[in-house]
Amino acid sequence: KQEVTQIPAALSVPEGENLVLNCSFTDSAIYNLQWFRQDPGKGLTSLLLIQSSQREQTSGRLNASLDKSSGRSTLYIAASQPGDSATYLCAIKTGANNLFFGTGTRLTVIP
Amino acid sequence: NAGVTQTPKFQVLKTGQSMTLQCAQDMNHEYMSWYRQDPGMGLRLIHYSVGAGITDQGEVPNGYNVSRSTTEDFPLRLLSAAPSQTSVYFCASSYGGTSYEQYFGPGTRLTVT
């Protein structure tokens, strides 16, 4: 069974700092990896989707990388803002419809 | 497009009661899923459907039933609620195949007393 780990569980940074969130997984036989953002009491918002054949994806200040051989993905957030404060989840797709989720990193950006 | 919608937003049940969580999507997605989210654990798949009339079990299916009579709707039924089913439930949908991202609804917060 795929195990997905996100470290750290929580992170506080001052506004403007660049930061990296980490996601590791145990089985490299994946279809894709998706990063989500979850605000308190809300649903999940998709941020980036990386196919297994890709190495990275970028959207605005966000850049996600994927290294299947080492079982790692990172989400890089440039010039962090207080509005980036949320929980970030990574999820691995291993089958037709099954996503395995990490427990998330709770990010706080301090003004 | 409304995307993925879920009702109700909040629900309190007594042990043994039954209820149906509603999920609908207007994106003509083939795939729909139900997940539950518990503190300290990642979201876990309950049931999923790859098209109308086709459903299958996920990681934690016990105590839940689903059916898919239309492309748009995928209700989740709790037959006899238990306190262990206290959780936040999310419905998701995507196009068919393995390459597409999943879109999630806003969730239903269920408490079973």
Side-chain angles (χ1 to χ4, degrees), chain A residues 5-7 19 24 27 29 32 36 40 43 50 63 65-66 69-70 76-77 84 87 91-92 94 103 107-108 110:
Chain A
T5 304
Q6 291 186 249
I7 295 173
L19 61 102
S24 61
D27 187 347
N32 58 51
F36 294 90
I50 309 178
N63 176 276
S65 69
L66 174 64
S69 60
S70 67
Y76 174 83
I77 303 177
D84 295 330
T87 296
I92 309 291
T94 60
T103 51
L107 173 67
T108 303
I110 304 162

mmCIF file of all heavy atoms in Angstrom, chain A residues 5-7 19 24 27 29 32 36 40 43 50 63 65-66 69-70 76-77 84 87 91-92 94 103 107-108 110:
data_model
loop_
_atom_site.group_PDB
_atom_site.id
_atom_site.type_symbol
_atom_site.label_atom_id
_atom_site.label_comp_id
_atom_site.label_asym_id
_atom_site.label_seq_id
_atom_site.Cartn_x
_atom_site.Cartn_y
_atom_site.Cartn_z
ATOM 1 N N THR A 5 4.041 10.672 3.111
ATOM 2 C CA THR A 5 4.471 11.399 4.304
ATOM 3 C C THR A 5 4.778 12.840 3.937
ATOM 4 O O THR A 5 5.433 13.100 2.924
ATOM 5 C CB THR A 5 5.730 10.751 4.910
ATOM 6 O OG1 THR A 5 5.463 9.373 5.189
ATOM 7 C CG2 THR A 5 6.130 11.455 6.199
ATOM 8 N N GLN A 6 4.318 13.753 4.777
ATOM 9 C CA GLN A 6 4.622 15.165 4.571
ATOM 10 C C GLN A 6 5.302 15.716 5.821
ATOM 11 O O GLN A 6 4.776 15.603 6.927
ATOM 12 C CB GLN A 6 3.349 15.959 4.282
ATOM 13 C CG GLN A 6 2.747 15.620 2.929
ATOM 14 C CD GLN A 6 1.586 16.510 2.580
ATOM 15 O OE1 GLN A 6 0.436 16.057 2.539
ATOM 16 N NE2 GLN A 6 1.875 17.772 2.306
ATOM 17 N N ILE A 7 6.452 16.298 5.592
ATOM 18 C CA ILE A 7 7.235 16.867 6.680
ATOM 19 C C ILE A 7 7.692 18.270 6.262
ATOM 20 O O ILE A 7 8.124 18.447 5.117
ATOM 21 C CB ILE A 7 8.483 15.996 6.993
ATOM 22 C CG1 ILE A 7 8.028 14.632 7.529
ATOM 23 C CG2 ILE A 7 9.400 16.688 7.969
ATOM 24 C CD1 ILE A 7 9.148 13.662 7.715
ATOM 25 N N LEU A 19 9.818 29.271 0.464
ATOM 26 C CA LEU A 19 9.754 28.076 1.297
ATOM 27 C C LEU A 19 9.510 26.834 0.451
ATOM 28 O O LEU A 19 9.036 26.912 -0.688
ATOM 29 C CB LEU A 19 8.664 28.229 2.359
ATOM 30 C CG LEU A 19 7.251 28.421 1.857
ATOM 31 C CD1 LEU A 19 6.480 27.124 1.962
ATOM 32 C CD2 LEU A 19 6.528 29.510 2.635
ATOM 33 N N SER A 24 6.905 12.731 0.539
ATOM 34 C CA SER A 24 7.605 11.515 0.129
ATOM 35 C C SER A 24 6.616 10.364 0.054
ATOM 36 O O SER A 24 5.606 10.349 0.769
ATOM 37 C CB SER A 24 8.744 11.184 1.104
ATOM 38 O OG SER A 24 8.227 10.961 2.402
ATOM 39 N N ASP A 27 5.973 3.993 -2.939
ATOM 40 C CA ASP A 27 5.878 3.184 -4.156
ATOM 41 C C ASP A 27 5.996 4.107 -5.364
ATOM 42 O O ASP A 27 5.168 5.000 -5.551
ATOM 43 C CB ASP A 27 4.534 2.449 -4.185
ATOM 44 C CG ASP A 27 4.423 1.456 -5.338
ATOM 45 O OD1 ASP A 27 5.261 1.497 -6.261
ATOM 46 O OD2 ASP A 27 3.486 0.638 -5.307
ATOM 47 N N ALA A 29 5.541 3.474 -8.427
ATOM 48 C CA ALA A 29 4.616 3.155 -9.531
ATOM 49 C C ALA A 29 3.382 4.042 -9.422
ATOM 50 O O ALA A 29 2.325 3.605 -8.944
ATOM 51 C CB ALA A 29 4.229 1.683 -9.492
ATOM 52 N N ASN A 32 0.284 9.953 -11.253
ATOM 53 C CA ASN A 32 0.563 11.377 -11.109
ATOM 54 C C ASN A 32 0.557 11.767 -9.649
ATOM 55 O O ASN A 32 0.237 10.947 -8.771
ATOM 56 C CB ASN A 32 -0.438 12.241 -11.908
ATOM 57 C CG ASN A 32 -1.886 12.001 -11.511
ATOM 58 O OD1 ASN A 32 -2.237 12.050 -10.342
ATOM 59 N ND2 ASN A 32 -2.734 11.766 -12.505
ATOM 60 N N PHE A 36 -2.611 20.008 -3.239
ATOM 61 C CA PHE A 36 -3.855 20.701 -2.915
ATOM 62 C C PHE A 36 -3.594 21.705 -1.795
ATOM 63 O O PHE A 36 -2.672 21.556 -0.988
ATOM 64 C CB PHE A 36 -4.924 19.725 -2.412
ATOM 65 C CG PHE A 36 -5.425 18.738 -3.413
ATOM 66 C CD1 PHE A 36 -4.808 17.505 -3.559
ATOM 67 C CD2 PHE A 36 -6.529 19.032 -4.195
ATOM 68 C CE1 PHE A 36 -5.283 16.574 -4.469
ATOM 69 C CE2 PHE A 36 -7.017 18.104 -5.107
ATOM 70 C CZ PHE A 36 -6.387 16.875 -5.240
ATOM 71 N N PRO A 40 -9.068 26.253 6.483
ATOM 72 C CA PRO A 40 -9.810 25.680 7.622
ATOM 73 C C PRO A 40 -11.300 25.576 7.349
ATOM 74 O O PRO A 40 -11.939 26.545 6.939
ATOM 75 C CB PRO A 40 -9.510 26.670 8.756
ATOM 76 C CG PRO A 40 -8.192 27.257 8.404
ATOM 77 C CD PRO A 40 -8.182 27.359 6.904
ATOM 78 N N GLY A 43 -13.122 22.862 1.567
ATOM 79 C CA GLY A 43 -12.720 21.749 0.734
ATOM 80 C C GLY A 43 -11.298 21.906 0.219
ATOM 81 O O GLY A 43 -10.558 22.795 0.640
ATOM 82 N N ILE A 50 1.210 16.928 -11.432
ATOM 83 C CA ILE A 50 2.396 16.503 -12.168
ATOM 84 C C ILE A 50 2.188 15.066 -12.624
ATOM 85 O O ILE A 50 1.967 14.176 -11.806
ATOM 86 C CB ILE A 50 3.665 16.550 -11.294
ATOM 87 C CG1 ILE A 50 3.815 17.888 -10.601
ATOM 88 C CG2 ILE A 50 4.903 16.263 -12.133
ATOM 89 C CD1 ILE A 50 5.040 17.947 -9.704
ATOM 90 N N ASN A 63 5.873 26.196 -7.612
ATOM 91 C CA ASN A 63 6.587 25.260 -8.477
ATOM 92 C C ASN A 63 6.635 23.924 -7.763
ATOM 93 O O ASN A 63 7.086 23.837 -6.613
ATOM 94 C CB ASN A 63 8.000 25.759 -8.770
ATOM 95 C CG ASN A 63 8.802 24.755 -9.579
ATOM 96 O OD1 ASN A 63 9.386 23.826 -9.034
ATOM 97 N ND2 ASN A 63 8.811 24.926 -10.886
ATOM 98 N N SER A 65 7.944 19.882 -7.972
ATOM 99 C CA SER A 65 8.854 18.959 -8.641
ATOM 100 C C SER A 65 8.497 17.530 -8.259
ATOM 101 O O SER A 65 7.868 17.288 -7.231
ATOM 102 C CB SER A 65 10.298 19.257 -8.245
ATOM 103 O OG SER A 65 10.498 18.923 -6.880
ATOM 104 N N LEU A 66 8.916 16.607 -9.097
ATOM 105 C CA LEU A 66 8.664 15.189 -8.852
ATOM 106 C C LEU A 66 9.905 14.388 -9.200
ATOM 107 O O LEU A 66 10.448 14.519 -10.303
ATOM 108 C CB LEU A 66 7.478 14.698 -9.696
ATOM 109 C CG LEU A 66 7.189 13.202 -9.657
ATOM 110 C CD1 LEU A 66 6.790 12.758 -8.257
ATOM 111 C CD2 LEU A 66 6.095 12.843 -10.661
ATOM 112 N N SER A 69 12.081 8.281 -8.767
ATOM 113 C CA SER A 69 13.063 7.268 -8.365
ATOM 114 C C SER A 69 13.382 7.352 -6.880
ATOM 115 O O SER A 69 13.630 6.335 -6.223
ATOM 116 C CB SER A 69 14.340 7.415 -9.191
ATOM 117 O OG SER A 69 14.904 8.689 -8.987
ATOM 118 N N SER A 70 13.342 8.572 -6.342
ATOM 119 C CA SER A 70 13.615 8.726 -4.914
ATOM 120 C C SER A 70 12.333 8.827 -4.095
ATOM 121 O O SER A 70 12.385 8.914 -2.865
ATOM 122 C CB SER A 70 14.473 9.963 -4.665
ATOM 123 O OG SER A 70 13.751 11.142 -4.978
ATOM 124 N N TYR A 76 7.430 24.374 -3.981
ATOM 125 C CA TYR A 76 8.174 25.603 -3.691
ATOM 126 C C TYR A 76 7.218 26.773 -3.821
ATOM 127 O O TYR A 76 6.515 26.908 -4.829
ATOM 128 C CB TYR A 76 9.330 25.722 -4.686
ATOM 129 C CG TYR A 76 10.110 27.004 -4.614
ATOM 130 C CD1 TYR A 76 11.135 27.170 -3.687
ATOM 131 C CD2 TYR A 76 9.849 28.048 -5.504
ATOM 132 C CE1 TYR A 76 11.868 28.350 -3.642
ATOM 133 C CE2 TYR A 76 10.571 29.224 -5.455
ATOM 134 C CZ TYR A 76 11.588 29.367 -4.526
ATOM 135 O OH TYR A 76 12.309 30.542 -4.481
ATOM 136 N N ILE A 77 7.164 27.593 -2.772
ATOM 137 C CA ILE A 77 6.340 28.802 -2.789
ATOM 138 C C ILE A 77 7.273 29.994 -2.697
ATOM 139 O O ILE A 77 8.028 30.146 -1.716
ATOM 140 C CB ILE A 77 5.325 28.833 -1.630
ATOM 141 C CG1 ILE A 77 4.425 27.590 -1.686
ATOM 142 C CG2 ILE A 77 4.483 30.104 -1.689
ATOM 143 C CD1 ILE A 77 3.438 27.484 -0.529
ATOM 144 N N ASP A 84 -1.265 32.906 1.772
ATOM 145 C CA ASP A 84 -0.820 31.534 1.504
ATOM 146 C C ASP A 84 -1.031 30.631 2.703
ATOM 147 O O ASP A 84 -0.852 29.411 2.606
ATOM 148 C CB ASP A 84 0.661 31.519 1.117
ATOM 149 C CG ASP A 84 0.951 32.234 -0.194
ATOM 150 O OD1 ASP A 84 0.051 32.251 -1.068
ATOM 151 O OD2 ASP A 84 2.057 32.785 -0.339
ATOM 152 N N THR A 87 -3.414 24.661 4.887
ATOM 153 C CA THR A 87 -2.790 23.336 4.923
ATOM 154 C C THR A 87 -2.589 22.855 3.494
ATOM 155 O O THR A 87 -3.500 22.949 2.672
ATOM 156 C CB THR A 87 -3.656 22.339 5.717
ATOM 157 O OG1 THR A 87 -3.731 22.762 7.076
ATOM 158 C CG2 THR A 87 -3.049 20.942 5.661
ATOM 159 N N ALA A 91 -1.039 14.327 -2.859
ATOM 160 C CA ALA A 91 -1.791 13.095 -3.086
ATOM 161 C C ALA A 91 -1.216 12.383 -4.293
ATOM 162 O O ALA A 91 -0.899 13.010 -5.306
ATOM 163 C CB ALA A 91 -3.273 13.409 -3.309
ATOM 164 N N ILE A 92 -1.094 11.070 -4.165
ATOM 165 C CA ILE A 92 -0.512 10.235 -5.206
ATOM 166 C C ILE A 92 -1.612 9.403 -5.853
ATOM 167 O O ILE A 92 -2.400 8.768 -5.154
ATOM 168 C CB ILE A 92 0.528 9.259 -4.593
ATOM 169 C CG1 ILE A 92 1.542 9.993 -3.712
ATOM 170 C CG2 ILE A 92 1.194 8.435 -5.673
ATOM 171 C CD1 ILE A 92 2.474 10.873 -4.464
ATOM 172 N N THR A 94 -2.436 6.163 -7.811
ATOM 173 C CA THR A 94 -1.823 4.886 -8.144
ATOM 174 C C THR A 94 -2.728 3.989 -8.975
ATOM 175 O O THR A 94 -2.275 2.997 -9.519
ATOM 176 C CB THR A 94 -1.443 4.110 -6.867
ATOM 177 O OG1 THR A 94 -2.648 3.895 -6.117
ATOM 178 C CG2 THR A 94 -0.455 4.887 -6.024
ATOM 179 N N THR A 103 -0.772 13.643 5.310
ATOM 180 C CA THR A 103 -1.542 14.306 6.364
ATOM 181 C C THR A 103 -1.396 15.825 6.313
ATOM 182 O O THR A 103 -2.047 16.528 7.071
ATOM 183 C CB THR A 103 -1.136 13.805 7.751
ATOM 184 O OG1 THR A 103 0.287 13.888 7.866
ATOM 185 C CG2 THR A 103 -1.573 12.360 7.950
ATOM 186 N N LEU A 107 0.739 25.576 6.984
ATOM 187 C CA LEU A 107 1.624 26.727 6.780
ATOM 188 C C LEU A 107 0.993 27.993 7.345
ATOM 189 O O LEU A 107 -0.177 28.286 7.069
ATOM 190 C CB LEU A 107 1.888 26.918 5.279
ATOM 191 C CG LEU A 107 2.655 28.182 4.885
ATOM 192 C CD1 LEU A 107 4.083 28.108 5.410
ATOM 193 C CD2 LEU A 107 2.649 28.364 3.367
ATOM 194 N N THR A 108 1.791 28.729 8.109
ATOM 195 C CA THR A 108 1.383 30.052 8.591
ATOM 196 C C THR A 108 2.400 31.062 8.106
ATOM 197 O O THR A 108 3.606 30.905 8.367
ATOM 198 C CB THR A 108 1.308 30.100 10.129
ATOM 199 O OG1 THR A 108 0.406 29.097 10.587
ATOM 200 C CG2 THR A 108 0.827 31.473 10.599
ATOM 201 N N ILE A 110 3.524 34.818 8.503
ATOM 202 C CA ILE A 110 3.349 35.897 9.483
ATOM 203 C C ILE A 110 3.597 37.244 8.827
ATOM 204 O O ILE A 110 4.656 37.447 8.232
ATOM 205 C CB ILE A 110 4.314 35.689 10.669
ATOM 206 C CG1 ILE A 110 4.085 34.296 11.278
ATOM 207 C CG2 ILE A 110 4.139 36.782 11.711
ATOM 208 C CD1 ILE A 110 5.219 33.833 12.141
#
